[in-house]
Amino acid sequence: LIDGKPTSAGVSAAADAVNQAANDLGAISSQANSIDTSSFDPSTASVIQQEQAALQAASKAVSDAVPRLQGCVDSASSCGPVYNDVSGTLSSNSVSQPIAYFGSKGSGSPPQCPGCSSGNGGSSSSGGSGSGGSGSSGSGSGGSGGFTPVGGGLPFPKGGLGGLGLPTRGAGAISALKPWAITTGNDIGAAENLLSGLSGASSSASVSAAADLLATAGSDLSALSAQAEAIELTSFTESQVAEVQAEQAALRTASQAFAELLPKVQGCIKNPGPCQSVFVGGVGILTAANTYGAWQYLTSFNGFATKPSQTSPSPPSAASSTSTGSPSPWLLNTRSGTSIEAFKKFIQTLPDKGSGRQIVYETLSTQWYATKMTLEEALIVHAFPIVDQMVPNEPLHVEANEAKIAADHPLRPRSGPTVVAAGRYAAWHLKWLCQPHHFPIQGRNLDFEQYLYEESAGKDSYVYVFDAKIDWEHVELENIPHERYVVEDLRFPFEPSDSPDDQANVKDGNGHGSAMAGGVAGNLIPIGVAPRATIVEVLMGRLGAGPPGLIPEHVVECWEWATNDVNLKNRKGKAVFLMAWTFPLFEVLRQDPNPDTRYQRYAIRLPAYDDLWPPLLAEAWDSDIPTVIPAGNLKAQTQGSTSPQRYGHPDNPLINVGALQRDGRIWDEPGTVHGTAPIGPDQGGWDPYLTGSLDIFAVAEDIVSITAGEDHQTYEDGSGTSLAAAQIAGLLAYFMSLPAPYTLPAANPGNLALRAKQTLLALART
């Protein structure tokens, strides 16, 4: 407006830009004034107070300039003094100095607010100048180049992107770069706008402004290139590797081109006259296909176009397949040791302002939060140091590990317990279980053996059964002490209900939960290993998938409630978790590398394609709770393909249970898919170091089991690793109740669960 011929449109655009700057200053000043200077030493506090006052004065000065410019819209050509005054105000030390003071005090990137109206997220040092800007507001008139800034970007932190903990494996590593690729594109576009308007007759100030924008854009490209180079090519298929390498090369080339162009433009600041060719060549570099394509690839990436080969399949249910444009359900958890206060402050910065669902217990060291956000927002949020991982909160398809055959088992009286109780009329698998090591199993008819057991039989121990509905009216279960927990908002697709009481009384047609309770503590025939134990029914949902089926949020709520329950009721050393389902693998957003040392303590090596189980397992083990799971019933599917089975290891308290046949051989049904799942990595080739384990076996072929039935007296012959796991969970509870000197060996807090597992394995027949 000062150097050229001002128009009404130009003055109006300038007034809008100054108004935006005034709003920015007002917001910064308000936040600066909230700083408690009493937390600093007196000398520093005095300086901060001076800068607070200076920033407030700067905000008022810029605000006062807005109506003066607005008053010149209709008389643009006669307001030269106003333009000079406003320009002097904006460039004065009284405005720039307090901004520079607070801007220089940050140590890296400030916390972002995903979803907040923060404009384009470009470099705040390079906006303005009528160029369309690349500053955080992205305001301006668009200059002469015609580039229009795009929203959704984030400012680059000092020191580049390496300190944000962005993922480096798989498609998520590419998607994570999108917000900064948008910023890079905005900064390159703003530089193009200015550069395209330069000529030999341009002012030194205009060339200097263009050089500043080039420096910012070049810095952006350099940071993007460095992060792209950190992407691990081993996490891609051969065809995907070629695509990623092409992008890495494009970013290197573009970054080098900017590095070579910048000193040429800077050399023209003092004497723009002979630099026409520099300006024209610079525009060519900024608009060249290799420069444009380098950042555009990252902003438009939404998964690979090439399909993975048979030998190198893509990870299951990759998070990158989620729509980037519309919100979808997510479940995040904090790193262990995060305080509840810090968690609650953090969720206030999220797009939903903390209105999502919180799963928080004072006795536990991790908090969970269910919300909705776009993939772009999730990629931003997961980079916060407070976040451990983010899980797509969508319906899961889970499977039980039991195969049933209908059978009729008459009810027979049971002899009462003595110091060592003997009952001939016990289920044969219990007689099998109580045989001394030196007794051969093969060739014996255990139906005619005595069943011997210590009379405590699990008394004052607790088995938390995570499963479907348990039929407490069944004759085998009706006298068992039990407790119950139902997910607050769980809705069963087969019998909808809005009442928690009604939900708890839903009659599940599958019968798997009842079978698990019976295997642990059934006490009529009896069929349970610990018939005096207390069963805690943790009703997670129904087997299968489909809205409103089981989602990660339900699993987490159940598990965290149960872990908290053990802590609150002082049940450490007396509680066992039995979770007889298998879960699929899917990609989550996790910071990489992850320094949470408690995973290392439990021999959990975090995979590239993860699931929700590592923090849940660690939470239980921190609370001294051994965890019993079945190995799985598909003999062709390795344990590395399902969760939490894949985390089994001799050095953690996860007890993977395999099934045996009557003759003591590993269970295998010829001609069918059924049999104990073997140890081994996921057949897809992902995470080869996660193989699961087979820690212990129990007989589980055609054993007496209960199931759902209207008469509450239905029994079946069942087979499967779930039934084996129920016996082992009951056996742990049985050992926990033994009187001295047969009690489980003592251990320090934090090691009780592992000691219980080790004792169990030491007593097993080999």
Side-chain angles (χ1 to χ4, degrees), residues 690-739:
L690 290 175
T691 61
S693 62
L694 281 172
D695 299 303
I696 196 167
F697 294 82
V699 66
E701 179 187 42
D702 300 341
I703 66 172
V704 184
S705 174
I706 65 176
T707 190
E710 291 297 325
D711 61 357
H712 307 293
Q713 297 185 26
T714 305
Y715 289 79
E716 291 182 333
D717 281 343
S719 300
T721 55
S722 281
L723 295 172
Q727 293 177 60
I728 297 302
L731 191 58
L732 270 174
Y734 174 89
F735 286 149
M736 288 175 175
S737 71
L738 290 177

Coordinates of all heavy atoms in Angstrom, one line a residue, residues 690-739:
L690 N 7.4 -62.9 18.2 CA 6.2 -63.2 19.0 C 5.7 -64.6 18.6 O 5.0 -64.8 17.6 CB 5.2 -62.2 18.9 CG 5.5 -60.8 19.5 CD1 4.4 -59.8 19.2 CD2 5.8 -60.9 21.0
T691 N 6.0 -65.6 19.4 CA 5.6 -67.0 19.1 C 4.7 -67.7 20.0 O 4.2 -68.8 19.8 CB 6.9 -67.9 19.0 OG1 7.5 -67.9 20.3 CG2 7.8 -67.3 17.9
G692 N 4.4 -67.0 21.2 CA 3.5 -67.6 22.2 C 4.3 -68.7 22.9 O 5.5 -68.8 22.8
S693 N 3.6 -69.5 23.7 CA 4.2 -70.5 24.5 C 3.2 -71.6 24.8 O 2.0 -71.4 24.7 CB 4.8 -70.0 25.8 OG 3.7 -69.5 26.6
L694 N 3.7 -72.8 25.2 CA 2.9 -73.9 25.7 C 3.5 -74.2 27.0 O 4.4 -75.0 27.1 CB 2.8 -75.1 24.8 CG 1.9 -75.0 23.5 CD1 2.1 -76.1 22.6 CD2 0.5 -74.9 24.0
D695 N 2.9 -73.6 28.1 CA 3.5 -73.7 29.4 C 3.1 -75.0 30.1 O 3.9 -75.6 30.8 CB 3.1 -72.5 30.3 CG 3.6 -71.2 29.7 OD1 4.8 -71.1 29.5 OD2 2.7 -70.4 29.4
I696 N 1.9 -75.4 30.0 CA 1.3 -76.6 30.7 C 0.1 -77.1 30.0 O -0.5 -76.4 29.2 CB 1.0 -76.1 32.2 CG1 0.8 -77.3 33.1 CG2 -0.3 -75.2 32.2 CD1 0.7 -77.0 34.6
F697 N -0.2 -78.4 30.2 CA -1.3 -79.1 29.5 C -2.2 -79.7 30.6 O -1.8 -80.1 31.7 CB -0.7 -80.2 28.6 CG 0.1 -79.7 27.5 CD1 1.4 -79.4 27.6 CD2 -0.5 -79.6 26.2 CE1 2.2 -79.0 26.5 CE2 0.3 -79.2 25.1 CZ 1.6 -78.9 25.3
A698 N -3.4 -79.8 30.2 CA -4.4 -80.5 31.0 C -5.3 -81.4 30.0 O -5.4 -81.0 28.8 CB -5.3 -79.6 31.8
V699 N -5.8 -82.5 30.5 CA -6.6 -83.3 29.6 C -7.9 -82.6 29.2 O -8.5 -82.0 30.1 CB -6.9 -84.7 30.3 CG1 -7.8 -84.5 31.5 CG2 -7.5 -85.6 29.3
A700 N -8.2 -82.6 28.0 CA -9.4 -81.8 27.5 C -10.0 -82.5 26.3 O -10.3 -81.8 25.3 CB -9.0 -80.4 27.3
E701 N -10.2 -83.8 26.3 CA -10.8 -84.5 25.2 C -12.0 -85.2 25.8 O -11.9 -86.1 26.6 CB -9.9 -85.5 24.5 CG -10.5 -86.2 23.4 CD -9.6 -87.3 22.9 OE1 -9.0 -88.0 23.7 OE2 -9.6 -87.5 21.6
D702 N -13.2 -84.8 25.3 CA -14.5 -85.5 25.7 C -14.6 -85.5 27.2 O -14.9 -86.5 27.8 CB -14.5 -86.9 25.2 CG -14.5 -87.0 23.7 OD1 -14.8 -85.9 23.0 OD2 -14.2 -88.0 23.1
I703 N -14.4 -84.3 27.9 CA -14.5 -84.3 29.3 C -15.9 -83.7 29.7 O -16.5 -83.1 28.9 CB -13.4 -83.5 30.0 CG1 -13.5 -82.0 29.6 CG2 -12.0 -84.0 29.6 CD1 -12.5 -81.1 30.3
V704 N -16.3 -84.0 30.9 CA -17.6 -83.6 31.3 C -17.7 -82.0 31.4 O -16.8 -81.4 32.1 CB -18.0 -84.2 32.7 CG1 -19.4 -83.8 33.0 CG2 -17.8 -85.7 32.6
S705 N -18.6 -81.4 30.8 CA -18.8 -80.0 30.8 C -20.2 -79.6 30.9 O -21.1 -80.4 30.5 CB -18.1 -79.4 29.5 OG -18.4 -78.0 29.4
I706 N -20.5 -78.5 31.4 CA -21.9 -78.0 31.4 C -22.2 -77.0 30.3 O -21.2 -76.4 29.8 CB -22.3 -77.4 32.8 CG1 -21.5 -76.1 33.1 CG2 -22.1 -78.4 33.9 CD1 -21.9 -75.4 34.3
T707 N -23.4 -76.8 30.0 CA -23.7 -75.9 28.9 C -25.1 -75.3 29.2 O -25.8 -75.6 30.1 CB -23.7 -76.6 27.5 OG1 -23.8 -75.6 26.5 CG2 -24.8 -77.6 27.4
A708 N -25.5 -74.4 28.3 CA -26.8 -73.7 28.4 C -27.9 -74.7 28.2 O -27.9 -75.6 27.3 CB -26.9 -72.5 27.5
G709 N -29.0 -74.6 28.9 CA -30.2 -75.4 28.8 C -31.3 -74.8 29.6 O -31.1 -74.3 30.7
E710 N -32.5 -75.0 29.1 CA -33.7 -74.4 29.8 C -33.9 -75.1 31.2 O -34.4 -74.5 32.1 CB -34.9 -74.5 29.0 CG -34.9 -73.6 27.7 CD -34.9 -72.1 28.1 OE1 -35.5 -71.8 29.1 OE2 -34.3 -71.4 27.4
D711 N -33.5 -76.4 31.3 CA -33.7 -77.1 32.5 C -32.6 -76.8 33.5 O -32.7 -77.3 34.7 CB -33.9 -78.6 32.3 CG -32.7 -79.2 31.7 OD1 -31.7 -78.5 31.3 OD2 -32.7 -80.4 31.5
H712 N -31.5 -76.2 33.1 CA -30.4 -75.9 34.0 C -29.7 -77.1 34.5 O -29.1 -77.2 35.6 CB -30.8 -75.0 35.2 CG -31.5 -73.7 34.7 ND1 -30.9 -72.7 34.0 CD2 -32.8 -73.3 34.9 CE1 -31.7 -71.7 33.8 NE2 -32.9 -72.1 34.3
Q713 N -29.8 -78.2 33.7 CA -29.2 -79.5 34.1 C -28.5 -80.1 33.0 O -28.2 -81.3 33.0 CB -30.3 -80.5 34.6 CG -31.0 -80.0 35.9 CD -32.0 -81.1 36.4 OE1 -31.8 -82.3 36.2 NE2 -33.0 -80.6 37.1
T714 N -28.2 -79.4 31.9 CA -27.6 -79.9 30.7 C -26.1 -80.0 30.8 O -25.4 -79.1 31.2 CB -27.9 -79.0 29.5 OG1 -29.3 -78.8 29.4 CG2 -27.4 -79.6 28.2
Y715 N -25.6 -81.2 30.5 CA -24.2 -81.5 30.5 C -23.8 -81.9 29.1 O -24.6 -82.4 28.3 CB -23.8 -82.7 31.4 CG -23.9 -82.3 32.9 CD1 -25.1 -82.2 33.6 CD2 -22.7 -82.0 33.6 CE1 -25.2 -81.9 34.9 CE2 -22.8 -81.6 35.0 CZ -24.0 -81.6 35.6 OH -24.1 -81.3 36.9
E716 N -22.5 -81.8 28.7 CA -22.0 -82.2 27.4 C -20.6 -82.8 27.6 O -19.9 -82.5 28.6 CB -21.9 -81.0 26.5 CG -23.2 -80.5 26.0 CD -23.1 -79.3 25.0 OE1 -22.1 -78.6 25.0 OE2 -24.0 -79.1 24.2
D717 N -20.2 -83.6 26.6 CA -18.8 -83.9 26.5 C -18.1 -82.9 25.7 O -18.5 -82.7 24.5 CB -18.6 -85.3 25.9 CG -18.9 -86.4 26.9 OD1 -18.9 -86.2 28.0 OD2 -19.1 -87.6 26.4
G718 N -17.1 -82.2 26.2 CA -16.5 -81.1 25.5 C -15.0 -81.4 25.3 O -14.4 -82.1 26.0
S719 N -14.5 -80.7 24.3 CA -13.0 -80.8 24.0 C -12.5 -79.4 23.7 O -13.3 -78.6 23.2 CB -12.7 -81.7 22.8 OG -13.2 -83.1 23.1
G720 N -11.3 -79.2 24.0 CA -10.7 -77.9 23.7 C -9.8 -77.3 24.7 O -9.9 -77.7 25.9
T721 N -9.0 -76.3 24.3 CA -8.0 -75.8 25.2 C -8.7 -74.8 26.2 O -8.1 -74.6 27.3 CB -6.9 -75.0 24.4 OG1 -7.6 -74.0 23.5 CG2 -6.1 -75.9 23.6
S722 N -9.9 -74.3 26.0 CA -10.6 -73.5 27.0 C -10.9 -74.4 28.2 O -10.7 -73.9 29.4 CB -11.9 -73.0 26.4 OG -11.7 -71.9 25.6
L723 N -11.3 -75.6 28.0 CA -11.6 -76.5 29.1 C -10.4 -76.9 29.9 O -10.4 -77.0 31.1 CB -12.4 -77.8 28.6 CG -13.7 -77.5 28.0 CD1 -14.3 -78.7 27.3 CD2 -14.7 -77.0 29.0
A724 N -9.3 -77.0 29.1 CA -8.0 -77.3 29.8 C -7.6 -76.0 30.6 O -7.1 -76.2 31.8 CB -6.9 -77.6 28.8
A725 N -7.8 -74.8 30.1 CA -7.4 -73.6 30.8 C -8.2 -73.5 32.1 O -7.7 -73.0 33.1 CB -7.6 -72.4 29.9
A726 N -9.5 -73.8 32.0 CA -10.4 -73.7 33.2 C -9.8 -74.6 34.3 O -9.9 -74.3 35.5 CB -11.8 -74.1 32.9
Q727 N -9.4 -75.8 34.0 CA -8.8 -76.7 35.0 C -7.6 -76.1 35.6 O -7.4 -76.2 36.8 CB -8.4 -78.1 34.4 CG -9.6 -78.9 33.9 CD -9.1 -80.2 33.2 OE1 -8.5 -81.0 33.8 NE2 -9.5 -80.3 31.9
I728 N -6.7 -75.5 34.8 CA -5.4 -74.9 35.3 C -5.7 -73.7 36.2 O -5.1 -73.5 37.2 CB -4.5 -74.6 34.2 CG1 -4.1 -75.9 33.4 CG2 -3.3 -73.8 34.7 CD1 -3.4 -76.9 34.3
A729 N -6.7 -72.9 35.8 CA -7.1 -71.8 36.7 C -7.6 -72.3 38.0 O -7.3 -71.7 39.1 CB -8.1 -70.9 35.9
G730 N -8.5 -73.3 37.9 CA -8.9 -73.9 39.2 C -7.8 -74.5 40.0 O -7.8 -74.4 41.2
L731 N -6.8 -75.1 39.3 CA -5.7 -75.7 40.1 C -4.9 -74.6 40.8 O -4.4 -74.8 41.9 CB -4.8 -76.5 39.1 CG -3.8 -77.4 39.7 CD1 -4.4 -78.4 40.6 CD2 -3.0 -78.0 38.6
L732 N -4.7 -73.5 40.1 CA -4.0 -72.4 40.8 C -4.8 -71.9 42.1 O -4.2 -71.7 43.1 CB -3.8 -71.2 39.9 CG -2.6 -71.2 39.0 CD1 -2.6 -70.0 38.0 CD2 -1.3 -71.0 39.9
A733 N -6.1 -71.8 41.9 CA -6.9 -71.4 43.1 C -6.9 -72.4 44.2 O -6.8 -72.1 45.3 CB -8.4 -71.2 42.6
Y734 N -6.8 -73.7 43.8 CA -6.7 -74.8 44.7 C -5.4 -74.7 45.5 O -5.4 -74.8 46.7 CB -6.8 -76.1 43.9 CG -6.5 -77.4 44.7 CD1 -7.6 -78.1 45.3 CD2 -5.3 -77.9 44.8 CE1 -7.4 -79.2 46.1 CE2 -5.0 -79.1 45.5 CZ -6.1 -79.7 46.1 OH -5.9 -80.9 46.9
F735 N -4.3 -74.5 44.8 CA -3.0 -74.3 45.5 C -3.0 -73.1 46.4 O -2.4 -73.1 47.4 CB -1.9 -74.2 44.4 CG -1.5 -75.5 43.8 CD1 -1.1 -75.5 42.5 CD2 -1.7 -76.7 44.4 CE1 -0.8 -76.7 41.8 CE2 -1.4 -77.9 43.8 CZ -0.9 -77.9 42.5
M736 N -3.6 -72.0 46.0 CA -3.7 -70.8 46.8 C -4.4 -71.0 48.1 O -4.2 -70.2 49.0 CB -4.3 -69.7 46.0 CG -3.5 -69.1 44.8 SD -4.4 -67.9 43.9 CE -3.1 -67.3 42.7
S737 N -5.3 -72.0 48.2 CA -6.0 -72.2 49.4 C -5.4 -73.3 50.3 O -5.9 -73.5 51.4 CB -7.5 -72.7 49.0 OG -7.5 -74.0 48.5
L738 N -4.4 -73.9 49.9 CA -3.8 -75.0 50.7 C -3.3 -74.5 52.0 O -2.7 -73.4 52.1 CB -2.7 -75.7 49.9 CG -3.1 -76.5 48.7 CD1 -1.8 -77.1 48.0 CD2 -4.0 -77.6 49.1
P739 N -3.4 -75.2 53.1 CA -2.9 -74.8 54.4 C -1.4 -75.1 54.5 O -0.8 -75.8 53.6 CB -3.6 -75.7 55.4 CG -3.9 -77.0 54.6 CD -4.2 -76.5 53.2

